[in-house]
Amino acid sequence: MEWRTMRATRREVIAGAMSVTALGATGASSGQAARRPNFVFILADDLGAFDLSCYGREDYQTPHIDSIARRGMRFDLGYANSSSCAPTRVGLISGRYQNRLLAGSGEGGGYTRGKIGYPGDLPSLPGLFKGAGYRTGLVGKWGIGELPDYGPLKSGYDEFFGLMGGGIDYWSHDFLDPLTPGPRRPDLYEDETPVKVEGYATDLFSDRACDFIRRNADQPFMLSLHYTAPHWPWQTRDERGSPRMTDMHYEGGSPKIYRDMVLPMDHGVGRVLDTLGKHRLDRDTVVIFTSDNGGERFSKMWPLRGGKGELWEGGIRVPLIISWPGRIRGGTVSRQVAVSMDFLPTMAALAGIATDPSYPPDGVDLSPQLFGGPPLDRTLFWMTPGERLAALSYPWKYLRNGALEYLYNLDEDPTEHANFKSRNPAMLADLKARTLAWSQGMQKAMPAVPRTLVDQAEALETPKLPGK
């Protein structure tokens, strides 16, 4: 497959910008009200940067997700706001650095339980669209706070079907906390009511997404489809998986099982696209596909270093594809650096919705780049537990891992093994100073999960919990 790097003329850029303005306004040139675009935002869980065939995965094909790229734009420098689940979702829903909030300052989904979560009284991506007259729905994983204090309906979604926590058994729809072993807890909800439904979770989420589109075909809608695939436990449509000590499932999985978890998600995306087509909504709908963090275990990350939980590229680089047939030129490739918190301002701009001036996004509106504008220079920052900090001013990247510091040039060495800090001390000093200044305005990172607990889980030893 050939991909074209976006090079648009000035006339094409202006035409694209005019089309956005016209669609966001209350009337079109004919005097009739223009339909605002629908949005289908699809988020995979733990999908690595190169786990789609359009990004180079070779041992399986993802034709339906690839078709979004054929009809739109593929980003080669897509990033997640964090290297783990819940913090990225805080950045996504707020359009701001997740480190501004306690719920975004930890690791994974465990810290959001109990009294920590995304407050319902804060502005949010679904709340913004609901306030503008859109029908909003979340299907799949919420992961940023539990009832009764937090939940999707409290943050702007009109309806919800999925899990409140960070991950579930794909068949029994319950979970076992890997750090606090105890009885399994059911975690499947219809709005705020626990429900029991038979079926493989990935397929159930695809079914419900298609149903949401059918029921709302006559009004503008914003659908968040947050799959749990291909997050562990390692279970497929045909195999419920071997007995496991915890849901981290270190005694299971394989590249073949990973493939058989990704493919149902790809098939489900195909069904969602077909449903849009059947209702003649495909040209009225912006479709976005990305992942919440880098890959884990069976993902394809090479030549990137690291994976989920780390601030090397393998932990934060993710696939990112956006289509809007007839508006975004098909088959294009962008070198724009983009990150999860950009979706709120970008989607708002495409819909002609103003963001809350009292809660300004840290993300940027990338709609000019979608319509052919040149890449925007920017600097991004990350902070995770374990005294990990990073800054990216492409191609330069500063990384602090505990007491150790690195300076990478991603153009010269995308593997992040050549440390440039002695060769370019001025760049090191600049990025380090900016990173430290940024971090001073953020919440202090919560304590990291002790590495010994992770090592014990992988060795299939009963975790020796602190204080036990």
Side-chain angles (χ1 to χ4, degrees):
M1 179 184 300
E2 292 185 0
W3 299 95
R4 301 192 304 273
T5 300
M6 174 62 83
R7 282 184 171 83
T9 65
R10 183 172 181 272
R11 179 176 295 177
E12 289 172 323
V13 173
I14 294 172
M18 289 177 65
S19 70
V20 177
T21 303
L23 283 158
T26 57
S29 57
S30 62
Q32 305 245 334
R35 174 166 182 145
R36 292 176 292 175
N38 306 307
F39 293 86
V40 174
F41 182 90
I42 307 170
L43 188 66
D45 199 338
D46 291 0
L47 191 73
F50 307 130
D51 278 340
L52 302 175
S53 47
C54 64
Y55 278 95
R57 187 93 190 202
E58 297 175 344
D59 54 329
Y60 58 77
Q61 298 292 307
T62 51
H64 302 294
I65 299 173
D66 291 357
S67 74
I68 304 172
R70 286 197 301 273
R71 289 186 279 186
M73 178 176 288
R74 189 192 78 199
F75 287 74
D76 280 353
L77 296 173
Y79 286 87
N81 257 57
S82 184
S83 58
S84 59
C85 310
T88 289
R89 292 162 198 270
V90 171
L92 168 65
I93 198 172
S94 66
R96 290 157 65 90
Y97 280 112
Q98 69 280 3
N99 308 89
R100 293 184 181 277
L101 297 173
L102 191 61
S105 301
E107 291 178 289
Y111 287 116
T112 63
R113 300 197 185 116
K115 297 298 180 183
I116 302 175
Y118 190 79
D121 60 351
L122 288 182
S124 67
L125 174 62
L128 193 67
F129 278 81
K130 181 176 181 177
Y134 275 71
R135 181 72 178 177
T136 58
L138 171 61
V139 175
K141 178 173 172 176
W142 166 247
I144 47 176
E146 295 187 350
L147 296 172
D149 298 304
Y150 309 100
L153 270 59
K154 302 181 191 305
S155 286
Y157 286 109
D158 289 310
E159 54 186 271
F160 168 60
F161 174 76
L163 60 151
M164 293 287 183
I168 52 172
D169 184 290
Y170 283 77
W171 288 100
S172 59
H173 313 139
D174 56 11
F175 74 95
L176 179 65
D177 191 325
L179 298 180
T180 55
R184 299 191 67 81
R185 292 176 52 188
D187 191 11
L188 187 65
Y189 287 80
E190 180 86 49
D191 293 335
E192 296 187 348
T193 302
V195 294
K196 292 185 178 181
V197 182
E198 293 295 321
Y200 186 62
T202 303
D203 294 331
L204 293 179
F205 298 151
S206 300
D207 291 344
R208 185 56 65 95
C210 293
D211 178 65
F212 178 91
I213 293 168
R214 284 190 292 265
R215 288 187 288 106
N216 294 285
D218 295 330
Q219 61 181 316
F221 61 80
M222 195 279 286
L223 169 64
S224 298
L225 172 54
H226 294 183
Y227 285 107
T228 53
H231 191 289
W232 39 259
W234 310 112
Q235 299 171 291
T236 72
R237 277 175 169 166
D238 304 315
E239 175 58 56
R240 292 179 180 241
S242 59
R244 56 189 187 268
M245 291 182 64
T246 73
D247 284 4
M248 293 176 76
H249 209 175
Y250 274 104
E251 63 271 41
S254 69
K256 179 181 180 299
I257 290 173
Y258 189 81
R259 175 200 69 190
D260 291 342
M261 295 176 70
V262 172
L263 293 185
M265 177 173 63
D266 181 69
H267 179 251
V269 170
R271 291 177 53 213
V272 167
L273 298 176
D274 286 345
T275 302
L276 290 172
K278 288 176 182 177
H279 289 273
R280 299 181 179 179
L281 296 172
D282 45 335
R283 295 181 70 84
D284 293 325
T285 303
V286 178
V287 178
I288 300 169
F289 182 95
T290 190
S291 180
D292 62 348
N293 48 250
E296 185 187 9
R297 296 183 221 184
F298 306 111
S299 288
K300 174 180 168 59
M301 265 91 79
W302 175 258
L304 307 182
R305 181 178 179 180
K308 178 180 177 178
E310 300 172 311
L311 292 182
W312 282 289
E313 291 290 283
I316 54 176
R317 185 90 69 87
V318 294
L320 170 56
I321 310 167
I322 304 178
S323 72
W324 189 7
R327 307 299 197 284
I328 298 173
R329 190 177 171 198
T332 54
V333 177
S334 175
R335 296 288 292 175
Q336 172 65 56
V337 172
V339 69
S340 313
M341 63 185 177
D342 295 336
F343 295 120
L344 184 150
T346 301
M347 292 167 63
L350 294 176
I353 301 172
T355 58
D356 191 326
S358 66
Y359 202 70
D362 293 317
V364 300
D365 169 18
L366 296 178
S367 57
Q369 284 67 44
L370 293 176
F371 295 102
L376 174 71
D377 290 333
R378 63 192 306 198
T379 302
L380 295 175
F381 301 98
W382 289 265
M383 179 168 61
T384 62
E387 297 185 75
R388 300 185 185 101
L389 285 164
L392 175 66
S393 183
Y394 195 87
W396 293 102
K397 180 177 175 182
Y398 167 76
L399 176 66
R400 190 182 82 184
N401 202 15
L404 304 177
E405 292 183 313
Y406 308 84
L407 180 68
Y408 299 117
N409 185 306
L410 298 180
D411 274 346
E412 294 197 29
D413 174 33
T415 72
E416 293 179 292
H417 283 92
N419 192 349
F420 284 70
K421 72 177 186 179
S422 297
R423 296 161 59 184
N424 196 338
M427 180 61 69
L428 174 74
D430 177 58
L431 283 180
K432 178 179 179 178
R434 292 164 65 191
T435 303
L436 294 178
W438 168 83
S439 68
Q440 292 303 308
M442 300 294 126
Q443 291 269 357
K444 183 179 179 181
M446 284 195 243
V449 173
R451 183 67 221 178
T452 54
L453 295 182
V454 179
D455 293 340
Q456 289 163 14
E458 187 169 1
L460 303 184
E461 300 288 346
T462 301
K464 298 175 178 60
L465 302 175
K468 297 289 184 179

